[in-house]
Amino acid sequence: MKKNNYSLMLSEGVVNAIDAEAARLGTNRSALINRILAEYVSYVTPEMRARQILCSVRDTLDGVFRQDGEGENILCVTTALAYRYNPTVRYALELYRGGDSLGEIRVSMRTKNPLLLDIFGSFCAHFAAVERRYMGKGEYGFGVGRFVRVLRLRKGDPVSDMMTLEELGKHVARYISMLDRALKLYCRYAGDLAEALAVLDGVYREYLAEAPVLL
């Protein structure tokens, strides 16, 4: 959203209080004043929208994932694989400030084990293939120990159009949970590719049967 410069006459005491609160929240004076004014006139800014969605995602995943950082438009959580040395998997959800896409989920594997990195790469490729088979085209990014899934709501979908931001956050959290479950089961059965693919397909079909809206 475009932003412009405006001059405001504020008392020194108000400015000091705003600066103190901005420092506590980890933001700046302009951003906080923008937020306060938007809330006062009931206007939802992109930052407020992102914050509501991320709060819903965080609350839904609480107790299942460990939080690993949070910003105005990003939330990071981690979990561990039941594999040798229990390597950490990190999920970073970043919400875009504009455009047609909601945001992206970045999955990264914290390991230098070449075998596990190969398994992770195989999972990412097959997961994208399964998703495309059931949903059509999708937007993905691939790298060593890294996977990116772009989230885009379907336009004109009545369920998507009626969802609140809290409900949307819960749905994104459900998708992250499904992705994590699929990865863990794929790694468990990685020694038998046919079995791993069958399990992956089953996890995704189960998700589709319960998901109110597709991302």
Side-chain angles (χ1 to χ4, degrees):
M1 178 179 292
K2 183 179 178 181
K3 294 185 178 181
N4 297 311
N5 292 320
Y6 298 96
S7 296
L8 295 175
M9 298 294 292
L10 303 173
S11 68
E12 184 176 355
V14 169
V15 172
N16 291 338
I18 289 290
D19 287 345
E21 182 65 7
R24 186 184 71 82
L25 296 173
T27 186
N28 56 58
R29 179 191 298 169
S30 296
L32 181 56
I33 291 176
N34 189 72
R35 182 192 303 180
I36 291 171
L37 293 176
E39 291 176 348
Y40 185 80
V41 298
S42 300
Y43 177 77
V44 179
T45 67
E47 292 79 12
M48 293 167 62
R49 179 175 182 269
R51 189 167 67 253
Q52 290 183 46
I53 295 173
L54 291 178
C55 284
S56 178
V57 174
R58 182 194 61 213
D59 293 345
T60 304
L61 297 179
D62 186 42
V64 181
F65 293 80
R66 184 175 67 85
Q67 189 171 336
D68 191 43
E70 184 175 4
E72 281 194 346
N73 65 323
I74 190 168
L75 173 69
C76 301
V77 295
T78 62
T79 185
L81 285 179
Y83 197 82
R84 63 187 69 174
Y85 309 118
N86 295 319
T88 297
V89 182
R90 187 172 190 260
Y91 297 87
L93 169 64
E94 180 178 358
L95 300 181
Y96 299 156
R97 296 182 183 277
D100 296 332
S101 298
L102 175 64
E104 65 182 42
I105 297 173
R106 298 189 295 271
V107 188
S108 55
M109 179 77 70
R110 294 179 177 176
T111 181
K112 295 182 179 180
N113 185 314
L115 176 59
L116 186 54
L117 288 174
D118 284 346
I119 293 174
F120 180 73
S122 174
F123 163 78
C124 295
H126 285 113
F127 178 84
V130 167
E131 196 160 54
R132 283 171 173 150
R133 184 165 71 247
Y134 286 106
M135 292 179 54
K137 64 180 181 179
E139 298 177 62
Y140 308 91
F142 303 90
V144 178
R146 181 175 177 272
F147 176 62
V148 179
R149 168 65 158 89
V150 176
L151 304 176
R152 185 190 296 270
L153 290 174
R154 294 183 299 176
K155 292 184 178 180
D157 181 90
V159 179
S160 300
D161 294 342
M162 294 298 293
M163 276 199 307
T164 66
L165 295 179
E166 181 181 1
E167 290 170 339
L168 178 56
K170 289 181 178 179
H171 183 65
V172 174
R174 186 180 298 113
Y175 185 89
I176 293 174
S177 295
M178 177 275 295
L179 185 57
D180 183 64
R181 179 168 177 255
L183 173 59
K184 289 176 177 176
L185 288 174
Y186 188 91
C187 290
R188 180 188 301 178
Y189 295 100
D192 185 337
L193 182 58
E195 182 69 17
L197 292 178
V199 170
L200 174 57
D201 187 82
V203 170
Y204 198 78
R205 283 190 289 106
E206 181 180 329
Y207 163 76
L208 289 180
E210 298 176 352
V213 64
L214 301 180
L215 294 170

